[in-house]
Amino acid sequence: MKPIKNPLSTLALAVALALSTPLFAADHAEAPLVESDAASDIADVYAFLDPNDNSKVILAFDVHGFIVPGENGNLGGFDPNVRYQFNIENTGDADPDKFITVNFNEQASRGKSQRATVQLVTKGSTNKLGFYAPTTVSSATAATAPTPAVKTDAATGIAFFAGVVDDPFFFDIPGFNRFAASVLGGAPDISLLSRGRDTFAGYNSQMIALSVPVSLLKGSAGSVIGVSATTLRSTHTLRSASADPVNSGAYQPIDRMGVPTINTVLVPFPRKNEYNRASTVDDAAGMFAGDIVGTLTALGTDNTHIGILAGVAVTHGDLLRLDTAVANSGKQGGNNAGAGFPNGRRPVDDVIDTVLFLVTNEGLTTGDNVNANDVTFRDKFPFFAASHQPLPTGTLDDNTRN
Ligand SMILES: [Ca+2]
Ligand SMILES: [Ca+2]
Ligand SMILES: [Ca+2]
Ligand SMILES: [Ca+2]
């Protein structure tokens, strides 16, 4: 293993770990209010060009991390009371200009697909492009995962997938925590980061993925679009002993995510719920800038790298920026150099290592030593890997790596 180049970076990392250790994931259960609302808890957001056809952009996010394969059937239904929303910014400010909303009807029975209503909405316009699509059922008893059901809308050219998949995020949380403890105890032991065990391996999550013609999303900012995701619930829920809950009122934000690790790591714990309710316009207005800069300064991040990180996630809002003029190619959703995170985010991009590299002033070059997902991603839409399924009798389960 390569050593950390600079002792100051080790110190910076120690502070970073002290601040972030119990919560360091992508966005899984990052704030008090979403940790007990799995249906709304966004885990990761992706935006990348289809490597098979760069005229299409893939937008995806997942919720409900850590579904065990034996419960795919019981835990795989999408919440009909949640609105799942992609926010698209295309004028170069922090204010989204287009939205793709997804709502599901209630599951009729376990194992039955749900109907999704997908709508592309332009701010200031009453015109909505919409269609219906099914989800992919992922049976808890199947020997192999079902083939993803992709619905393509002829009118818009938008393709849609929703269903249970392998959780695409990869990271060693305990290794990181142990290393943190060693640093805080005054005896930094980088070998504790050499476990290379992916905390997310063997678990599933619920993914919503769209393939959208780039031409439908671009605006006055030219080839660059910003992408984030929000989950929302109705303002009011009326509960009674005699009927199912009744929802009314406008949708209100529950969780949001753009750039990985921003809320999880850089926003102080007491403000995480507030961050999830706030908007990307609030970000650009500086609502959390002091908190984020304060955390980074405490981490030992220098002004140059604070500037880089602020440019990615604060100045123009917490949005993944994707330049659709940068060609994406290769296997598993694309893997050519220079085309991935922080230019959008592809499934294979090791975003944790990239963020750690920047936070430590480019000191930590080996990241967490988990360098890829536990299973191979698909080479075509929806790109995310098939859900893990229960294993045959007699199989030694070393799939989960806690
Ligand atoms: Ca979350
Ligand atoms: Ca805008
Ligand atoms: Ca995985
Ligand atoms: Ca890594």
Side-chain angles (χ1 to χ4, degrees), residues 33-332:
L33 287 175
V34 291
E35 85 180 52
S36 53
D37 185 357
S40 317
D41 180 15
I42 300 168
D44 285 279
V45 181
Y46 298 86
F48 55 100
L49 294 180
D50 185 335
N52 308 307
D53 177 359
N54 278 189
S55 75
K56 303 274 179 61
V57 62
I58 310 303
L59 306 176
F61 73 94
D62 60 337
V63 297
H64 200 167
F66 297 108
I67 295 175
V68 294
E71 283 285 61
N72 286 346
N74 284 332
L75 299 179
F78 286 88
D79 189 335
N81 301 310
V82 173
R83 166 161 285 182
Y84 301 88
Q85 178 171 297
F86 294 90
N87 313 298
I88 314 299
E89 201 295 305
N90 65 16
T91 63
D93 58 16
D95 195 9
D97 308 284
K98 296 197 175 195
F99 306 90
I100 298 175
T101 64
V102 180
N103 285 78
F104 296 91
N105 70 351
E106 191 165 302
Q107 202 173 28
S109 69
R110 292 294 186 232
K112 281 265 170 61
S113 71
Q114 294 174 272
R115 189 180 72 164
T117 303
V118 183
Q119 291 193 307
L120 174 61
V121 183
T122 301
K123 186 173 280 184
S125 167
T126 54
N127 288 332
K128 293 179 180 177
L129 301 172
F131 62 92
Y132 301 118
T135 59
T136 292
V137 175
S138 188
S139 167
T141 56
T144 56
T147 304
V150 173
K151 161 88 176 187
T152 302
D153 177 52
T156 59
I158 297 174
F160 175 84
F161 164 82
V164 177
V165 299
D166 153 73
D167 189 324
F169 188 53
F170 48 94
F171 176 55
D172 179 4
I173 295 175
F176 218 78
N177 291 350
R178 290 172 192 168
F179 172 64
S182 77
V183 175
L184 294 171
D189 183 0
I190 199 170
S191 72
L192 294 169
L193 271 176
S194 63
R195 285 187 354 136
R197 292 176 75 88
D198 174 7
T199 304
F200 300 81
Y203 293 107
N204 297 318
S205 62
Q206 293 177 279
M207 183 67 68
I208 298 169
L210 293 143
S211 167
V212 185
V214 175
S215 57
L216 283 180
L217 301 180
K218 285 198 298 187
S220 61
S223 60
V224 178
I225 60 170
V227 177
S228 71
T230 309
T231 50
L232 307 99
R233 288 183 182 275
S234 302
T235 303
H236 305 290
T237 301
L238 179 64
R239 300 185 192 284
S240 69
S242 58
D244 286 349
V246 177
N247 297 308
S248 63
Y251 281 106
Q252 306 293 344
I254 304 296
D255 194 7
R256 67 162 169 142
M257 185 183 184
V259 178
T261 76
I262 297 302
N263 196 20
T264 313
V265 181
L266 299 182
V267 175
F269 191 78
R271 296 201 76 188
K272 288 183 190 296
N273 288 333
E274 187 184 355
Y275 190 87
N276 281 337
R277 289 191 295 269
S279 71
T280 49
V281 174
D282 295 328
D283 300 338
M287 184 179 282
F288 304 96
D291 298 289
I292 291 171
V293 171
T295 303
L296 288 169
T297 302
L299 302 180
T301 308
D302 64 26
N303 285 339
T304 300
H305 293 88
I306 287 176
I308 292 170
L309 288 159
V312 168
V314 179
T315 314
H316 300 289
D318 184 1
L319 292 149
L320 276 174
R321 295 282 169 180
L322 174 67
D323 187 344
T324 60
V326 175
N328 183 37
S329 63
K331 297 277 199 183
Q332 303 186 68

